Amino acid sequence: MGKNQHVVTHPEGWAVKGEGNERATSVHSTQAEAIEAAREIARNQQSELLIHGRNGQIRERDSYGNDPFPPEG
């Protein structure tokens, strides 16, 4: 399983960052473009996608890993 991918604000728009990375994997002018790029990486790495709002808080998350079925809890 790969690193979780975060969509975060960036001075040039929106960035995709792997969890724990200092540098952005890619930078996009719109959040939608960044989400699409991050979703593709998360699918390939079977990891999680975390979308942050402008305030920095996580507003949405999608998992592309090996989720337990049925879900626990």
Side-chain angles (χ1 to χ4, degrees):
M1 194 156 140
K3 288 184 177 182
N4 291 342
Q5 300 299 311
H6 294 258
V7 174
V8 296
T9 58
H10 186 273
E12 297 173 31
W14 293 87
V16 177
K17 289 177 82 173
E19 192 161 300
N21 291 356
E22 294 258 338
R23 297 179 55 183
T25 303
S26 59
V27 177
H28 305 269
S29 56
T30 67
Q31 188 182 38
E33 291 171 352
I35 290 169
E36 194 55 42
R39 192 177 309 278
E40 188 66 29
I41 294 168
R43 278 190 189 123
N44 290 339
Q45 294 187 357
Q46 295 185 335
S47 61
E48 199 163 336
L49 166 63
L50 296 100
I51 303 167
H52 297 256
R54 289 198 180 278
N55 63 1
Q57 291 201 326
I58 296 170
R59 67 174 182 87
E60 191 178 329
R61 62 193 310 155
D62 289 321
S63 180
Y64 298 97
N66 294 322
D67 293 337
F69 187 85
E72 295 178 20

